[in-house]
Amino acid sequence: MIIVFVFLGKISLSRLHQELPVFPRRTLALGMSLLVFTCLRAEDKPSRPGPTEKGFVLPNGWTITPVGRQVVLTDLPLNIAPLADNKHALVATNGYNTHELSLIDLTSGRIVDKQTVKQSWFGLALTPDEKHVWWSGGGAGLLHTYELNNLQLKRIGAQEPLSPKPGDKSAATTKHTFKSGILFDAGRRILYSLDINAGAITAIHLDSDETRTGKLGGRPYDVVCSRNGAQLYVSDWAGRTVLAVDPK
């Protein structure tokens, strides 16, 4: 903001002093301070979120200065799985825009390959040989399953269900599930999957395709395995607790 005062003709200082109203000094000082503050805020405030010369402006107006190199992805990256070669990583983005599972070359910062889905969440697991990848499907109620070969992702699991059409009454009676945390137990070759809406955990035996599901907590969110493999630990958001589970 720039304020310009223009005076036409000559006005004597004594006459100007007589004609202008007299303000208390404190009021005048406060007014000048507000004017300066307003000018500075108007000049410094960016027009929209995004990169600037001073850093990256967030939607709330804050400015951050990220370190290192950045790779542009879709919004809300919730999980990162580095690969054993220390040169690549899988990144799951699960925000408002397109949900993507991206394979990133960490040296060049290039997206080598990616898979796009309609619904997903942060759960991400791989086999030790990194040939199979599971990604939680969120509201789709399934696990996205991929084969990873020569740095290429190929979907090998079930396809996502079609979204209900507007006005479809059957959709209102459908029980909604939401797949959240997942874990692959390589020793037992069991894939564990949590359903936060159903309050349940599912164990899938990969060698026999046997599937078992049981109730667990109010809203189980994520699951990890103990170091010796004897127990599973599940975070229950509804109960604000960590549950210790015997996998047997």
PDB file of all heavy atoms in Angstrom, residues 4 17 120 131 145 161 176 180 190 203 231-232:
ATOM      1  N   VAL A   4      -0.151   8.652  -1.049  1.00  0.00           N
ATOM      2  CA  VAL A   4       0.464   9.860  -1.583  1.00  0.00           C
ATOM      3  C   VAL A   4      -0.402  11.059  -1.232  1.00  0.00           C
ATOM      4  O   VAL A   4      -1.616  11.053  -1.486  1.00  0.00           O
ATOM      5  CB  VAL A   4       0.635   9.762  -3.125  1.00  0.00           C
ATOM      6  CG1 VAL A   4       1.249  11.034  -3.663  1.00  0.00           C
ATOM      7  CG2 VAL A   4       1.465   8.551  -3.483  1.00  0.00           C
ATOM      8  N   HIS A  17      -1.425  24.982  10.357  1.00  0.00           N
ATOM      9  CA  HIS A  17      -1.501  24.607  11.759  1.00  0.00           C
ATOM     10  C   HIS A  17      -2.804  25.093  12.378  1.00  0.00           C
ATOM     11  O   HIS A  17      -3.396  24.421  13.230  1.00  0.00           O
ATOM     12  CB  HIS A  17      -0.295  25.178  12.502  1.00  0.00           C
ATOM     13  CG  HIS A  17      -0.328  24.903  13.992  1.00  0.00           C
ATOM     14  ND1 HIS A  17      -0.075  23.650  14.493  1.00  0.00           N
ATOM     15  CD2 HIS A  17      -0.599  25.718  15.041  1.00  0.00           C
ATOM     16  CE1 HIS A  17      -0.185  23.702  15.821  1.00  0.00           C
ATOM     17  NE2 HIS A  17      -0.504  24.950  16.176  1.00  0.00           N
ATOM     18  N   SER A 120      -7.558 -44.473  -0.807  1.00  0.00           N
ATOM     19  CA  SER A 120      -6.417 -45.128  -0.170  1.00  0.00           C
ATOM     20  C   SER A 120      -6.186 -44.490   1.178  1.00  0.00           C
ATOM     21  O   SER A 120      -6.797 -43.478   1.532  1.00  0.00           O
ATOM     22  CB  SER A 120      -5.163 -44.997  -1.041  1.00  0.00           C
ATOM     23  OG  SER A 120      -4.763 -43.639  -1.116  1.00  0.00           O
ATOM     24  N   LYS A 131       9.207 -57.736  -3.807  1.00  0.00           N
ATOM     25  CA  LYS A 131       8.527 -58.087  -5.061  1.00  0.00           C
ATOM     26  C   LYS A 131       7.026 -57.865  -4.982  1.00  0.00           C
ATOM     27  O   LYS A 131       6.347 -57.817  -6.017  1.00  0.00           O
ATOM     28  CB  LYS A 131       8.822 -59.544  -5.419  1.00  0.00           C
ATOM     29  CG  LYS A 131      10.266 -59.791  -5.831  1.00  0.00           C
ATOM     30  CD  LYS A 131      10.474 -61.232  -6.276  1.00  0.00           C
ATOM     31  CE  LYS A 131      11.908 -61.457  -6.734  1.00  0.00           C
ATOM     32  NZ  LYS A 131      12.136 -62.857  -7.190  1.00  0.00           N
ATOM     33  N   THR A 145      -2.983 -54.303  -4.173  1.00  0.00           N
ATOM     34  CA  THR A 145      -1.862 -55.235  -4.224  1.00  0.00           C
ATOM     35  C   THR A 145      -1.121 -55.074  -5.540  1.00  0.00           C
ATOM     36  O   THR A 145      -1.736 -55.067  -6.614  1.00  0.00           O
ATOM     37  CB  THR A 145      -2.360 -56.684  -4.092  1.00  0.00           C
ATOM     38  OG1 THR A 145      -3.160 -56.798  -2.904  1.00  0.00           O
ATOM     39  CG2 THR A 145      -1.193 -57.649  -3.984  1.00  0.00           C
ATOM     40  N   PRO A 161     -13.926 -51.128  -6.197  1.00  0.00           N
ATOM     41  CA  PRO A 161     -15.352 -51.148  -6.555  1.00  0.00           C
ATOM     42  C   PRO A 161     -15.766 -49.823  -7.172  1.00  0.00           C
ATOM     43  O   PRO A 161     -15.169 -48.780  -6.895  1.00  0.00           O
ATOM     44  CB  PRO A 161     -16.044 -51.392  -5.214  1.00  0.00           C
ATOM     45  CG  PRO A 161     -15.072 -50.885  -4.185  1.00  0.00           C
ATOM     46  CD  PRO A 161     -13.714 -51.178  -4.751  1.00  0.00           C
ATOM     47  N   HIS A 176     -20.056 -49.367   5.711  1.00  0.00           N
ATOM     48  CA  HIS A 176     -18.827 -48.721   5.259  1.00  0.00           C
ATOM     49  C   HIS A 176     -17.633 -49.222   6.078  1.00  0.00           C
ATOM     50  O   HIS A 176     -17.659 -49.250   7.305  1.00  0.00           O
ATOM     51  CB  HIS A 176     -18.943 -47.202   5.389  1.00  0.00           C
ATOM     52  CG  HIS A 176     -19.978 -46.615   4.471  1.00  0.00           C
ATOM     53  ND1 HIS A 176     -19.774 -46.496   3.119  1.00  0.00           N
ATOM     54  CD2 HIS A 176     -21.208 -46.128   4.723  1.00  0.00           C
ATOM     55  CE1 HIS A 176     -20.842 -45.952   2.565  1.00  0.00           C
ATOM     56  NE2 HIS A 176     -21.734 -45.718   3.515  1.00  0.00           N
ATOM     57  N   SER A 180      -7.064 -49.189   7.253  1.00  0.00           N
ATOM     58  CA  SER A 180      -6.049 -48.239   7.735  1.00  0.00           C
ATOM     59  C   SER A 180      -4.665 -48.895   7.766  1.00  0.00           C
ATOM     60  O   SER A 180      -4.061 -49.107   6.725  1.00  0.00           O
ATOM     61  CB  SER A 180      -6.449 -47.693   9.106  1.00  0.00           C
ATOM     62  OG  SER A 180      -6.752 -48.748  10.006  1.00  0.00           O
ATOM     63  N   ILE A 190       2.170 -63.810   7.104  1.00  0.00           N
ATOM     64  CA  ILE A 190       0.797 -63.372   7.371  1.00  0.00           C
ATOM     65  C   ILE A 190       0.721 -61.870   7.152  1.00  0.00           C
ATOM     66  O   ILE A 190       1.577 -61.115   7.623  1.00  0.00           O
ATOM     67  CB  ILE A 190       0.354 -63.714   8.807  1.00  0.00           C
ATOM     68  CG1 ILE A 190       0.377 -65.222   9.025  1.00  0.00           C
ATOM     69  CG2 ILE A 190      -1.035 -63.156   9.084  1.00  0.00           C
ATOM     70  CD1 ILE A 190       0.029 -65.628  10.451  1.00  0.00           C
ATOM     71  N   ALA A 203      -6.308 -61.251   9.466  1.00  0.00           N
ATOM     72  CA  ALA A 203      -5.044 -61.941   9.212  1.00  0.00           C
ATOM     73  C   ALA A 203      -5.195 -62.790   7.961  1.00  0.00           C
ATOM     74  O   ALA A 203      -6.088 -63.652   7.896  1.00  0.00           O
ATOM     75  CB  ALA A 203      -4.656 -62.804  10.400  1.00  0.00           C
ATOM     76  N   GLN A 231       4.389 -60.545  19.768  1.00  0.00           N
ATOM     77  CA  GLN A 231       3.174 -59.766  19.963  1.00  0.00           C
ATOM     78  C   GLN A 231       3.004 -58.726  18.862  1.00  0.00           C
ATOM     79  O   GLN A 231       3.982 -58.282  18.247  1.00  0.00           O
ATOM     80  CB  GLN A 231       3.184 -59.059  21.330  1.00  0.00           C
ATOM     81  CG  GLN A 231       2.974 -59.982  22.524  1.00  0.00           C
ATOM     82  CD  GLN A 231       2.899 -59.210  23.824  1.00  0.00           C
ATOM     83  OE1 GLN A 231       3.629 -58.253  24.022  1.00  0.00           O
ATOM     84  NE2 GLN A 231       2.011 -59.627  24.707  1.00  0.00           N
ATOM     85  N   LEU A 232       1.741 -58.351  18.673  1.00  0.00           N
ATOM     86  CA  LEU A 232       1.402 -57.212  17.831  1.00  0.00           C
ATOM     87  C   LEU A 232       0.965 -56.065  18.722  1.00  0.00           C
ATOM     88  O   LEU A 232       0.320 -56.285  19.759  1.00  0.00           O
ATOM     89  CB  LEU A 232       0.269 -57.569  16.858  1.00  0.00           C
ATOM     90  CG  LEU A 232       0.468 -58.759  15.933  1.00  0.00           C
ATOM     91  CD1 LEU A 232      -0.778 -58.971  15.091  1.00  0.00           C
ATOM     92  CD2 LEU A 232       1.691 -58.565  15.054  1.00  0.00           C
TER      93      LEU A 232
END
